[in-house]
Amino acid sequence: MIRIDVITAFPEYFRGPFGESMIRQAQRRVGLEINLWDLRDFTHDAHRTVDDTPYGGGAGMVMKPEPFFEALEYLFGQGLPREQTKIIYPSPQGKVFTNRVAQKLAQEKSLVFLCGHYKGIDQRVIDYWVDEEISIGDYVLTGGELATVVIVDAVIRWIPGVVGDIESVKSDSFEGDLLDAPYYTRPEIYRGLKVPDVLRSGNHQAIERWRLEKRIEKTRAVRPDLYKKFVEKNKL
Ligand code: 6GU
């Protein structure tokens, strides 16, 4: 059982992705609980202001500390146990998110995501509250909402019961430092394009060998960094 709380100035952003597919299945099937909290509900001015100009000057705005402090104090005041919660701040300054990080986060009881916008959140929120600052890659998004959706999706796949067959999760890309093999379904010939014979041979050993070859070939071609890891770990 995992509980996820998201603190955001744009809660509507999540209704689509969290209402669909895998994430909804997870909420039904394994009792995943997702709560959205509107950051603006923790402001006190008529304009419900969540940002302000940066000390030291420069372009862009910074998210004010008070609404985040008050939202978190509210959550933990409502009985969410702080010591059993990981507070995550998705940001380009974070450590890079990988499938391994996703698998580890899936073992937590409670995750809280703080969504930043503009230049980011006042550093005091990060220093005082945040357990993990996580980036989903070397590019900049307009806000942390999309990164939160990405992280939540990748995390919940690792909760037993979310994906029907956990073996499928384990054979996906990146397991064993390799990308996944190509897949085919019917028809056997489509517009003259054939499914590889080996996949129709019924020879499971040959199929496994072929799949491994394809994974190695593809990884070597598009991800030399991963391929190097694979070669080193397997002493090839
Ligand atoms: Cl987590 N947030 C934003 N705003 N941009 C990003 C990111 C996160 N990860 C990569 N780019």
Side-chain angles (χ1 to χ4, degrees):
M1 238 292 266
I2 181 165
R3 170 173 164 174
I4 296 176
D5 292 87
V6 180
I7 302 174
T8 170
F10 302 93
E12 289 307 315
Y13 189 96
F14 295 90
R15 307 253 180 242
F18 284 177
E20 293 292 333
S21 71
M22 208 81 108
I23 296 181
R24 190 165 78 199
Q25 295 241 11
Q27 294 181 74
R28 267 207 350 253
R29 298 231 295 248
V30 300
L32 166 73
E33 177 188 339
I34 303 184
N35 304 297
L36 298 172
W37 302 97
D38 189 340
L39 187 66
R40 294 179 206 276
D41 289 343
F42 299 91
T43 58
H44 301 286
D45 64 312
H47 294 107
R48 314 214 315 152
T49 310
V50 293
D51 61 341
D52 203 344
T53 53
Y55 276 110
M61 300 291 271
V62 177
M63 310 236 359
K64 296 160 60 61
E66 306 95 314
F68 282 106
F69 268 76
E70 290 188 31
L72 287 161
E73 281 160 359
Y74 175 79
L75 265 182
F76 295 123
Q78 289 286 304
L80 187 64
R82 174 66 182 97
E83 63 285 357
Q84 292 181 59
T85 298
K86 269 235 152 65
I87 302 181
I88 297 166
Y89 172 43
S91 125
Q93 280 70 248
K95 68 173 193 194
V96 175
F97 187 61
T98 61
N99 224 20
R100 177 178 324 221
V101 176
Q103 193 175 6
K104 212 158 129 240
L105 291 179
Q107 283 153 31
E108 299 290 335
K109 281 204 169 64
S110 152
L111 302 173
V112 174
F113 289 87
L114 309 182
C115 297
H117 262 262
Y118 320 110
K119 300 303 282 183
I121 302 178
D122 187 288
Q123 185 64 35
R124 288 166 292 188
V125 175
I126 301 161
D127 294 343
Y128 191 89
W129 290 103
V130 170
D131 299 310
E132 296 205 43
E133 191 169 352
I134 297 177
S135 165
I136 63 164
D138 290 342
Y139 40 82
V140 179
L141 305 171
T142 55
E145 281 79 11
L146 188 50
T148 297
V149 169
V150 168
I151 295 168
V152 167
D153 189 286
V155 166
I156 62 153
R157 293 178 70 255
W158 288 102
I159 303 171
V162 170
V163 177
D165 182 0
I166 198 81
E167 287 311 310
S168 161
V169 174
K170 290 182 182 163
S171 71
D172 281 331
S173 283
F174 307 115
E175 293 312 304
D177 301 306
L178 288 175
L179 302 178
D180 206 350
Y183 292 93
Y184 299 84
T185 186
R186 280 173 291 209
E188 184 191 336
I189 304 174
Y190 181 66
R191 302 202 181 186
L193 304 169
K194 273 197 78 187
V195 172
D197 287 333
V198 62
L199 296 178
R200 302 189 52 261
S201 67
N203 182 339
H204 294 292
Q205 227 186 331
I207 292 170
E208 280 321 297
R209 204 177 322 118
W210 181 86
R211 285 192 170 144
L212 181 59
E213 276 168 22
K214 286 294 177 184
R215 297 181 69 182
I216 294 171
E217 204 174 277
K218 176 77 175 182
T219 307
R220 186 171 163 190
V222 306
R223 291 291 303 275
D225 56 321
L226 266 187
Y227 180 71
K228 189 159 162 267
K229 240 169 57 181
F230 170 76
V231 168
E232 282 163 8
K233 276 202 200 158
N234 293 279
K235 304 192 173 74
L236 298 176

